């Protein structure tokens, strides 16, 4: 019961110290005798002394709720088993605080770089729209793990039952994490062919901040049939969903575990499940593993080590993805070769562990079970109603994972799931491809499951994903990775940031931007929104302000049979993009966020030839009145530079004349209808991608006007006419900023890429190139 609520258990002992006094007297209860015949004895008189209490080390039960079996009474083993007889699976909490040599010092090292942890409370996450350094996030030292930790942990798991490797399948919860977010959903990890449940060793520290993580462990010599495993997981899912019916349950299935997850989902269509399938083994009949099965059946036990090379390829991929992913990025080739050589040497030292993980009899049993699992899951795909994310490797030596991901997506029922509150739909099944990865995705350093979940908007603690309360701000590493991927745009455009102080002076930099939120930035949308990344990255890196952009639902929901790849927008979601809606705008304001708003929306971002720098805003807008309700500051801004980097060749009018493109545009436009209550240009924008002709890059310029403070104007701006006056003031200021930048850039000696390149060659790449005089 305590574990169900993640209570801490503190055992204690009590001892009372009594002082004993020996006195001489008549023995009690003796009949009275004649006076001359007194019987003497010693009486013991006890006087209270002192009470002593000892409170033992607290026992964490977080993540250790047992399915009716109680906690393990054997603290010195990873798994406690009362007997070898079949019994219901139990959940054992493995607490890293006990040290138990669970993480050998040689295998794990602490990195000195602080990493960002998710804050405990949502109020802290969104205070003033701040990012990771501002205190909205907690910083801790993260223990850097690698594939080596998998093998070290495997040794402990294999030896946990005295080396026998027997016992029923069971759950365990890794507790090497800090505090979880409130109401964190349950995540069940279903392992692949190895069955140990250690496959999340590189991921579990970050996952444990936002999930209650349970891992399924199948002992090496266990022979539980696949259908019994399905029933075991199903029983856990039903039990936990009955306790928390408002929360989803995540099933992370790897390889054969993917078949297990699909089978459970098919049998429980009424339970809110989210499936993450990493290279699912539903394509066993197309894999190279089939050729291994007949060979294992005839190999004698004495030659069982012949399976080691094949097992090695299973664990590493081709060519040794685990080792190569651990090698440093962007370092000298000689150093990389030395790391690879050292890694290969270390890997060979784990041959005996590989043999213990998958001895011949176990490998034969697992392959036979994988065959039945593949058939079982495929026959029930039509009944799966869960939300699904498939992670597919391009260099999987065992399974044709990329092809299989497409096949599963096509075999699932053609429907969408409403999981994005107030923002339309999300597809039933999404795919993310990892072209350079091997079979065991989660053991590769470059694969971060939490980042993947963020980028796909898959994290939710209720029926729908809430883009404010469920949003997980980017960590420092995630921000750096995103910024680096768009470094080319930063170099090509050399953005100039100008802001306006309270006294009206224009200065270079973002000194005129207020730190405290809520703040609404209202401006012009360049073609394809090219200004967004330089804008967001500069605000984060120079002012530590996370901008939450209100974006078109097209980047969050994929249309059926649409060629648009949603993965190209994952970084938008990681950096805080929110589907545009009145409710989301309201929530962002109430949380004190810095909000990026484009009244012209897609009409400006996908404008036609000759429409550059024209504002296509609605006749009226409600954002002023809503901003005033929270006393937000409104900052108009202009952005200039799209005509310096590209020219529109094919606009919407040109493409509508091409039958194939017209059909695609019409289908996409009709399924994403916004502003249906409006008239004019803003309500009549085809959803298309313009054909662009690149130019030798010029420069981007941004000017942020003087903030318009709506604090104290709540009552005044309830009047629609007065609010409309402020709206027109904002629009006029945006136009003024654009005109100012267009005029001033003509005097910028470093407007061209060549001039800036020469400047950086002389002065260094870290310095911003100068610009026009202010």
């Amino acid at each position: 019961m305590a574990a169900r609520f993640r209570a801490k258990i503190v055992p204690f002992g009590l001892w009372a110290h009594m002082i004993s006094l020996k006195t001489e007297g008549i023995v009690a209860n003796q009949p009275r005798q004649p006076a001359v015949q007194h019987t003497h004895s010693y009486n013991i008189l006890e006087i209270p002394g002192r009470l002593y209490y000892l409170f033992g080390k607290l026992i964490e039960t977080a993540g250790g709720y047992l399915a009716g079996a109680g906690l393990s009474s054997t603290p010195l083993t990873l798994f406690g088993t009362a007997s070898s007889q079949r019994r219901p699976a139990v959940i054992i909490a493995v607490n890293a605080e006990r040290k138990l040599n669970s993480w050998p010092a040689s295998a794990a090292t602490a990195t000195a770089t602080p990493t960002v942890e998710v804050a405990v409370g949502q109020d802290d996450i969104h205070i003033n729209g701040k990012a990771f350094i501002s205190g909205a996030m907690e910083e801790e030292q993260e223990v850097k793990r690698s594939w080596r930790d998998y093998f070290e942990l495997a040794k402990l798991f294999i030896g946990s039952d005295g080396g026998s490797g027997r016992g029923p399948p069971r759950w365990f919860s890794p507790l090497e994490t800090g505090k979880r977010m409130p109401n964190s959903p349950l995540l069940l990890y279903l392992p692949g062919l190895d069955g140990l449940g250690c496959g999340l060793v590189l991921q579990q520290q970050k996952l444990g901040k936002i999930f209650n993580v349970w891992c399924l462990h199948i002992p090496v010599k266990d022979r539980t049939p696949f259908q019994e495993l399905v029933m075991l997981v199903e029983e856990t899912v039903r039990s936990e969903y009955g306790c928390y019916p408002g929360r989803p349950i995540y099933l992370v299935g790897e390889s054969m575990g993917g078949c297990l997850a699909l089978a459970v989902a098919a049998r429980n269509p009424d339970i809110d499940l989210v499936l993450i399938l990493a290279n699912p083994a539903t394509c066993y009949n197309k894999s190279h593993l089939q050729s291994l099965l007949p060979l294992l059946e005839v190999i004698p036990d004495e030659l069982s080590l012949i399976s080691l090379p094949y097992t090695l390829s299973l664990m590493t991929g081709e060519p040794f993805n685990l080792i190569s992913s651990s090698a440093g990025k962007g370092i000298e080739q000689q150093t990389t070769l030395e790391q690879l050589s050292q890694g290969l040497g270390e890997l060979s030292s784990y041959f005996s562990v590989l043999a213990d993980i998958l001895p011949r009899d176990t490998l034969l049993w697992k392959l036979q079970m994988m065959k039945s699992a593949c058939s079982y899951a495929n026959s029930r795909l039509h009944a799966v109603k869960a939300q699904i994310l498939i992670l597919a490797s391009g260099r999987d030596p065992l399974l044709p994972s990329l092809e299989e991901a497409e096949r599963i997506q096509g075999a699932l029922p053609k429907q969408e799931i409403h999981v994005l509150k107030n923002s339309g739909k999300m597809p039933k099944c999404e795919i993310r491809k990892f072209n350079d990865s091997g079979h065991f995705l989660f053991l590769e350093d470059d694969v971060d499951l939490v980042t993947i979940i963020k980028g796909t908007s898959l994290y939710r603690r209720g029926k729908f994903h809430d883009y404010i309360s469920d949003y997980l701000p980017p960590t420092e590493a995630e921000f750096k990775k995103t910024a680096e991927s768009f470094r080319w745009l930063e170099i090509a455009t050399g953005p100039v940031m100008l802001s306006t102080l309270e006294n009206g002076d224009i200065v270079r930099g973002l000194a005129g931007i207020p730190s405290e939120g809520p703040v609404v930035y209202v401006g012009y949308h360049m073609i394809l929104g090219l200004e967004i990344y330089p804008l967001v990255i500069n605000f984060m890196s120079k002012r530590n302000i996370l901008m939450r952009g209100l974006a078109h639902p097209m980047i969050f929901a994929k249309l059926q049979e649409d060629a648009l790849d949603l993965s190209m927008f994952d970084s938008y979601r990681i950096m805080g993009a929110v589907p545009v809606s009145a409710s989301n705008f309201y929530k962002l304001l109430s949380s004190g966020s810095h909000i990026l708003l484009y009244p012209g929306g897609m009409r400006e971002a996908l404008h036609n030839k000759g429409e550059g720098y024209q504002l296509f805003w609605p006749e009226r807008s409600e954002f002023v009145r809503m901003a005033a309700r929270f006393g937000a500051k409104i900052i108009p801004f202009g952005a200039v530079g799209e005509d310096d980097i590209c020219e529109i060749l094919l606009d919407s009018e040109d493409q509508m004349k091409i039958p194939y493109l017209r059909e695609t545009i019409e289908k996409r436009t009709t399924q994403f209808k916004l502003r249906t209550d409006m008239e004019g240009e803003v309500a009549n924008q085809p959803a298309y991608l313009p054909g662009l002709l690149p130019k030798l890059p010029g420069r981007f310029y941004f000017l942020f006007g003087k903030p318009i403070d709506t604090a104290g104007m709540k009552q005044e701006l309830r009047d629609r006419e007065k609010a409309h006056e402020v709206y027109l003031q904002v629009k006029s200021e945006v136009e003024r900023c654009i005109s100012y930048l267009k005029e001033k850039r003509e005097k910028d000696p470093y407007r061209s890429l060549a001039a800036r390149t020469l400047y950086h060659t002389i002065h260094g790449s870290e310095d911003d190139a100068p610009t026009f005089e202010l």
Side-chain angles (χ1 to χ4, degrees), residues 485-500:
S485 65
F486 286 90
R487 177 65 177 163
W488 64 272
L489 186 59
E490 184 86 5
I491 294 174
T493 60
V496 175
M497 298 283 173
L498 307 175
S499 59
T500 307

Side-chain angles (χ1 to χ4, degrees), residues 375-390:
S375 176
Y376 189 98
N378 281 321
S379 65
R380 291 164 173 79
L381 284 178
H382 65 278
V384 177
K385 294 184 178 180
Q387 185 181 1
I388 300 176
L389 172 64
I390 303 178

